[in-house]
Amino acid sequence: MNPYAQHGAQALPDPTVKMSEGWHCLHLYYRVDQSRLSQVHDHHRAEGREQLAQILDPNREGAPARLLTSVISGGKADLGLMIMDPDPLKIDSVKHAIRSSRFGAALVPAWSFVSITEVSEYVPTVEQFAERLKREGVDPSDPTYGPKVKAYEGRLPAMNKQRLYPDIPPTYPVMCFYPMNKIRDPHANWFRLPFSERSRLMAEHATSGIKFAGKVSQLITASTGFDDWEWGVTLWSRAPEHIKDIVYSMRFDEASARYAEFGPFYIGYTMSPADAISHVKL
Ligand code: 76R
C-alpha cells in the first residue's frame, strides 16, 4: 500500500531499495590475519578455499550482476572485491557470506567504499555536443558536421549503458581504486562555479582522458550521501605504467589541479577467485 495515496496525492512510485536506473556498487578490501588463519583446522582449509571461491564466483547461481576479485599490492589490504547489482542487499549478502564462512574471522575488513553508478551531469547531450562543435569552429555547413553529430548520437546510448550497467573490461589486469572530492575552499569552491564553467572544465578533463583510450578504462561512481567522499574512481589498465601516467597527467587538468582532493589509493591485479585465494595463501 502506498501511504501517500490516501491523502489524495498523486500516486508515488512504490518504495524501493533499487534505483530507477543504474546499479549499487561496493568496493571491499580485506586483510588476511595470519594468527586467525592458523586457527582454521588443517582439515577445514580446503573446504574454506572452496567455499570462498564459490562465494566469489561471478557465474554462480544468485551472484550479483558484477563481482570482480583482485589481489592488492602494499600493506593496506590483501584482497579486493568490486561488486555491482541493482539490489544493494544482494551486494551486502556477499559481505555476510564471507564473514560467516570458514575464513570469516581470518579475513579482516580493511576498508570499503559504497557508491552508485550514474550518468554524470557533464556528459553532453546530442544538442550540447553539436553546440560544442560549433564553438570549436565546425560550422553546420561543414561536410563533417552532420556525420560527427550523427556518430555521437549513435554512440551515446551505448556509452550511457556502460556508465549505468558497466561491463568489466576482461583483458585489463591492473586495477586502481581511489575516492575523490571536489573541494569547497573559499578560494576554490567547485560548488559555487556556474554550471557552464564546471562543464567547460569537465570537457577539458574528458579531452585529457580520451588520450588514454585503449590503455585505461575508467568508471566513475557517485558516492555523495553514500560514503565519505563524493566519487569513487575505478581504473582498469592494460599495463601498470598507464595508471601512473593517467593519474599524473590529470593532476594538471584544471578540474583536478585546482579543485580535486583524493583519498587512499588501492592498486592491485585482477584474478579469478581461485587464483587470488591461492595467491594470498589462504
Ligand atoms: O563519461 C565520459 O567519458 C564523458 C566525459 C567524462 C565525464 C563526465 C569523463 C571522461 N570523466 C567525467 C566525469 Mn573522468 N576521471 C576522473 C579521474 O585523478 C584525477 O585527477 C581524476 C580521477 C580519472 C582518472 C578520470 C578518467 N571524471 C568525472 C567525474 C565526475 C564529475 C561530476 O559528475 O561532477 C570525476 C570525479 C572524474 C574523475 N574521465 C574521462 C577519465 C577518462 C579516462 C575519461 C575519458 C573517457 C573516454 O571517453 O574514453
Side-chain angles (χ1 to χ4, degrees), residues 29-44:
Y29 294 90
Y30 289 96
R31 201 177 288 120
V32 181
D33 182 321
Q34 184 57 35
S35 62
R36 291 184 188 169
L37 185 62
S38 309
Q39 286 165 22
V40 178
H41 284 296
D42 278 349
H43 60 275
H44 287 146

Side-chain angles (χ1 to χ4, degrees), residues 31-87:
R31 201 177 288 120
V32 181
D33 182 321
Q34 184 57 35
S35 62
R36 291 184 188 169
L37 185 62
S38 309
Q39 286 165 22
V40 178
H41 284 296
D42 278 349
H43 60 275
H44 287 146
R45 283 289 279 271
E47 186 195 320
R49 283 192 290 270
E50 212 166 285
Q51 194 183 24
L52 189 60
Q54 163 71 12
I55 294 167
L56 301 183
D57 178 1
N59 301 315
R60 73 171 152 82
E61 177 99 14
R66 301 286 180 269
L67 176 46
L68 178 66
T69 301
S70 59
V71 157
I72 305 299
S73 282
K76 291 196 202 95
D78 295 315
L79 266 185
L81 304 177
M82 180 179 185
I83 315 171
M84 290 183 272
D85 196 81
D87 183 353

Side-chain angles (χ1 to χ4, degrees), residues 177-223:
F177 178 73
Y178 56 97
M180 65 179 285
N181 288 337
K182 290 283 171 57
I183 63 170
R184 292 186 300 278
D185 186 282
H187 305 290
N189 188 336
W190 176 260
F191 295 91
R192 303 206 65 174
L193 296 178
F195 179 75
S196 57
E197 177 64 359
R198 283 178 280 131
S199 262
R200 185 187 71 76
L201 292 170
M202 290 310 292
E204 180 200 69
H205 157 82
T207 309
S208 103
I210 289 162
K211 298 191 184 111
F212 290 87
K215 294 179 182 162
V216 177
S217 174
Q218 111 281 22
L219 177 66
I220 306 301
T221 49
S223 45

Side-chain angles (χ1 to χ4, degrees), residues 118-124 152 159 163 178 180-182 190-191 198 202-203 205-214 216-221 230-233 235 246-253 255-257 260 262 265:
E118 68 165 1
V119 175
S120 161
E121 63 194 298
Y122 307 111
V123 173
Y152 186 73
M159 281 160 59
R163 291 174 183 118
Y178 56 97
M180 65 179 285
N181 288 337
K182 290 283 171 57
W190 176 260
F191 295 91
R198 283 178 280 131
M202 290 310 292
H205 157 82
T207 309
S208 103
I210 289 162
K211 298 191 184 111
F212 290 87
V216 177
S217 174
Q218 111 281 22
L219 177 66
I220 306 301
T221 49
E230 290 158 1
W231 293 276
V233 180
L235 304 175
I246 191 171
V247 175
Y248 181 69
S249 77
M250 286 198 168
R251 292 285 157 103
F252 295 92
D253 295 351
S256 294
F262 302 96
F265 283 69

